[in-house]
Amino acid sequence: MTSVPTPIPSRTQYVLEGIKHRILTGQLTPGQALVETELAAQFGVSKTPVREALKTLAGTGLVVMSQYKGVTVRMVDADMAREVYDVRLLLEPEALKRAVQRGASLDAARSALTRADAATDTAERSLANREFHRALYLPCGNPLLGRMLDEVRDQAALVSAVAWAASPSWEREAGEHREILRLALDGDADAAARALHSHIASFVQRAFPQAGLEQEGQE
């Protein structure tokens, strides 16, 4: 028999999404302690769903659980940025290339780009940008490839949140997003993939120049 995954209880899911949102929008910063009793009071729940939510977030790499320091938001450094963005560089341009080659709809990407342009605060813009990138790779035709990129999506957003807090670069990235989408909508799969590769690599290099990402595929 095929086992069916046990669904996360609604209260745990509520707390999970709430904590994740705060981390990815910079309300909770890297290294900040996450105290179960404080979070339980803030979300109006018992400590149990908070504890379960934190365990799940530790599994996705957003928080770190330590016997001595307790639970903290994961720190972001050049090594962490390199690991996450190496995966994106290897997989995300290829996923977009396949999506374009199979003529997949990119309406969701266009919509996310519109929301990002109309955003009135950093949190709203950050979430819209995440959806833009996901909308490019998700219709690649390979569900496993999509899930693999989903697995690093939160960690990539954490890197972005730290980088944007130090040096906002929204306008440059918005222009790059528009060019990537234009090439994809024109059906130029190779050029769209190259533009996306360059976009991902240049962002992390500006934010973490010591990350030392590979530059293959950008010529």
Side-chain angles (χ1 to χ4, degrees):
M1 292 179 62
T2 303
S3 61
V4 178
T6 303
I8 299 176
S10 57
R11 288 186 181 180
T12 300
Q13 188 66 43
Y14 164 68
V15 174
L16 172 65
E17 293 301 327
I19 297 174
K20 180 192 292 188
H21 180 84
R22 294 182 185 186
I23 292 173
L24 298 182
T25 56
Q27 297 174 58
L28 293 172
T29 57
Q32 184 170 342
L34 302 176
V35 182
E36 287 183 9
T37 52
E38 294 178 359
L39 290 169
Q42 291 171 17
F43 286 103
V45 298
S46 69
K47 290 195 297 182
T48 299
V50 173
R51 186 177 302 117
E52 293 304 313
L54 291 175
K55 288 179 181 177
T56 300
L57 290 170
T60 64
L62 282 183
V63 307
V64 176
M65 307 184 89
S66 168
Q67 180 179 352
Y68 304 103
K69 295 183 179 180
V71 183
T72 58
V73 179
R74 183 175 181 178
M75 294 294 293
V76 174
D77 57 20
D79 287 340
M80 184 264 202
R82 183 184 64 250
E83 291 174 3
V84 173
Y85 275 70
D86 269 348
V87 174
R88 291 189 68 190
L89 284 171
L90 287 168
L91 301 182
E92 200 166 326
E94 177 64 23
L96 172 59
K97 181 178 178 180
R98 294 185 180 196
V100 175
Q101 288 176 334
R102 64 194 299 263
S105 171
L106 295 174
D107 288 345
R110 195 202 308 264
S111 176
L113 190 57
T114 300
R115 291 198 305 276
D117 287 341
T120 56
D121 59 48
T122 300
E124 186 179 356
R125 190 179 293 111
S126 175
L127 293 173
N129 280 345
R130 292 181 72 219
E131 288 306 314
F132 172 77
H133 277 274
R134 189 169 192 261
L136 294 180
Y137 68 69
L138 205 59
C140 67
N142 184 329
L144 178 58
L145 179 55
R147 288 196 298 272
M148 291 172 70
L149 282 163
D150 274 349
E151 286 183 7
V152 299
R153 185 167 174 248
D154 288 344
Q155 295 179 55
L158 180 57
V159 173
S160 298
V162 170
W164 287 323
S167 178
S169 52
W170 297 110
E171 291 185 4
R172 172 173 177 166
E173 287 143 34
E176 292 173 355
H177 284 173
R178 285 189 285 272
E179 177 63 8
I180 292 165
L181 183 59
R182 183 190 69 79
L183 292 167
L185 292 174
D186 285 347
D188 194 336
D190 289 330
R194 286 195 299 270
L196 180 57
H197 187 287
S198 178
H199 167 70
I200 295 170
S202 63
F203 174 80
V204 77
Q205 284 166 357
R206 290 195 304 272
F208 298 91
Q210 63 274 49
L213 292 174
E214 293 294 331
Q215 293 302 299
E216 294 180 7
Q218 291 190 59
E219 6 358 278

